Amino acid sequence: RPSPCIVLFSFVFFVMAPKTAPVKAAAAPAKADAAKAAPAADKKAKKTVSIPSSFFVSRPKNYGIGQSIAHKRDLTRFVRWPRYIRIQRQRRVLYQRLKVPPTINQFTITADKNLAFQLFKFSDKYRPETAAEKKIRLVKKAAEVEKGKAFAPGTKPSFVKFGLKHVTTLVEQKKASLVLIAHDVDPIELVLWLPALCRKQGIPYAIVKGKARLGKIVGQKTATAVAFVGSDVRAEDRAEFATLVKAVQERFNDKFSQIRKTWGGQQLSLKSRQNQIKRQKALNK
C-alpha cells in the first residue's frame, strides 16, 4: 500500500503538468499541405483573370434620398395649374363632349389661314394713331393757326373702328362695310348676336382668330370686334378692299343656311372610343 505522501505528490504532479494538445500536433501536416496547394491555386487564378475591354466601368446609380441626382422629368401632369387655365381646359372639353347649338358653334368656323393673313395685312394699314402721333398732328395744326392761317377743322386720319358699342352702332346705321369678330371672346354672349345683326343689315362679317390679334391692330391687349367704314378706305386700297369683302361675303354671309344647321361637339374621348372598338370586336366574334 503506497504511503499518503506518494499519493499526494502524484496528484500534484498530474495537475500541474502541462497538457499536450494532440490537435496541434496534427495541424502541422495540414499547414504543409496548404502551403503546397497555394501555388497551384494562384496559377489557376492567374489563368482566369481577364483584362477589361474598356476603362469605363458601369456604376449603377442610386436615386435614393441623399444619393445621385434624379434625371429631369416631364411633370406637366403633376402641376397645379392656375384656376383660369383649368377653367379654359374644362370649357374646351365640355364644348367637345356636349351638343353645341349652331349659334355658338359658328365661332369655331373661322377664316382660313390665307384669308386671315390678307385681312390682317390690310388692317395694318389702318392702325389708329398713337398718342404721340396725335400730339404731333395737333401741335402742327396749332402752329399753323399761330402764324395767322385761318383755322379749319381738318379731317381725322382714316383708321379701323373698334370697341363693341361703336361697332354695333356702325352696323345698325349701315355705315360699316366689313366687320371682323374674334372667335375666343369670353363670355361668348358679348358677341353672340353680332353675326345675326350683320346678316340682317347686309354687312359682310368674318370670324377670325383671335381677340389678341385684333387688339394688336388697334393698340389694345384684346379687341372683340373691329369694323371698316367704306368712306375711310383710301382710293389706292379700294380695289384690294373690294376683293376682301367679296371673299368674306362668300365665306360667311352666303353660307348662312349651312352654318345655322351645323351643330358642334358630340366628340367622345379617346378612352370612350377605345372602349367602343373593344365592344364592337367582342360583338363581331
Side-chain angles (χ1 to χ4, degrees), residues 118-130 133 156-162 214 216-219 226-241 244:
Q118 298 297 332
L119 288 171
F120 284 109
K121 182 180 178 182
F122 184 81
S123 301
D124 283 338
K125 301 178 182 179
Y126 292 88
R127 288 175 174 267
E129 61 180 355
T130 61
E133 293 172 348
K156 292 182 180 180
S158 302
F159 56 85
V160 66
K161 312 299 181 184
F162 64 99
L214 289 180
K216 189 176 180 181
I217 293 173
V218 298
V226 299
F228 290 92
V229 178
S231 58
D232 290 345
V233 179
R234 292 185 285 270
E236 61 271 18
D237 296 330
R238 285 179 183 171
E240 182 182 358
F241 183 69
L244 291 175

Side-chain angles (χ1 to χ4, degrees), residues 216-261:
K216 189 176 180 181
I217 293 173
V218 298
Q220 304 288 331
K221 287 184 178 180
T222 58
T224 56
V226 299
F228 290 92
V229 178
S231 58
D232 290 345
V233 179
R234 292 185 285 270
E236 61 271 18
D237 296 330
R238 285 179 183 171
E240 182 182 358
F241 183 69
T243 304
L244 291 175
V245 169
K246 183 180 179 182
V248 168
Q249 181 83 24
E250 294 175 353
R251 179 70 176 81
F252 292 94
N253 293 65
D254 294 347
K255 293 185 178 181
F256 168 64
S257 59
Q258 178 183 348
I259 292 173
R260 66 189 295 267
K261 296 178 183 178

Side-chain angles (χ1 to χ4, degrees), residues 9 11 13 19 36 46 82 109 111 135 139 141 151 160 179 194 211 222 237 243 254:
F9 178 78
F11 177 75
F13 179 79
K19 297 180 179 179
K36 292 178 181 178
K46 289 179 180 178
I109 305 171
K135 183 178 179 180
V139 167
K141 191 74 174 179
F151 176 76
V160 66
V179 178
L194 192 53
K211 61 183 180 182
T222 58
D237 296 330
T243 304
D254 294 347

Side-chain angles (χ1 to χ4, degrees), residues 135-197:
K135 183 178 179 180
I136 293 173
R137 178 171 60 84
L138 294 178
V139 167
K140 185 177 179 181
K141 191 74 174 179
E144 292 177 356
V145 173
E146 189 177 358
K147 290 179 181 179
K149 188 177 180 181
F151 176 76
T155 57
K156 292 182 180 180
S158 302
F159 56 85
V160 66
K161 312 299 181 184
F162 64 99
L164 188 58
K165 289 185 178 180
H166 191 189
V167 171
T168 304
T169 303
L170 293 174
V171 173
E172 289 175 342
Q173 297 175 356
K174 295 186 177 182
K175 291 183 179 180
S177 300
L178 178 63
V179 178
L180 304 181
I181 308 169
H183 84 295
D184 56 348
V185 178
D186 183 34
I188 195 66
E189 288 81 7
L190 290 174
V191 293
L192 198 62
W193 43 269
L194 192 53
L197 180 63

Side-chain angles (χ1 to χ4, degrees), residues 60-112:
K61 291 190 176 181
N62 179 15
Y63 296 112
I65 296 175
Q67 303 299 324
S68 301
I69 299 174
H71 297 290
K72 289 185 178 181
R73 294 182 297 170
D74 185 9
L75 303 177
T76 305
R77 291 182 60 83
F78 305 97
V79 174
R80 181 174 177 83
W81 295 98
R83 184 170 179 269
Y84 78 97
I85 292 180
R86 294 200 302 271
I87 290 175
Q88 286 176 358
R89 294 177 176 177
Q90 291 168 1
R91 183 190 295 115
R92 181 186 62 189
V93 172
L94 284 177
Y95 277 147
Q96 291 174 352
R97 302 289 179 268
L98 300 178
K99 189 176 182 181
V100 182
T103 310
I104 298 176
N105 187 59
Q106 66 178 335
F107 287 92
T108 62
I109 305 171
T110 58
D112 56 43

Side-chain angles (χ1 to χ4, degrees), residues 97 267-278:
R97 302 289 179 268
Q267 299 178 11
L268 295 177
S269 64
L270 179 61
K271 186 176 181 180
S272 298
R273 291 198 297 269
Q274 294 298 329
N275 289 336
Q276 277 189 345
I277 294 172
K278 290 181 181 178

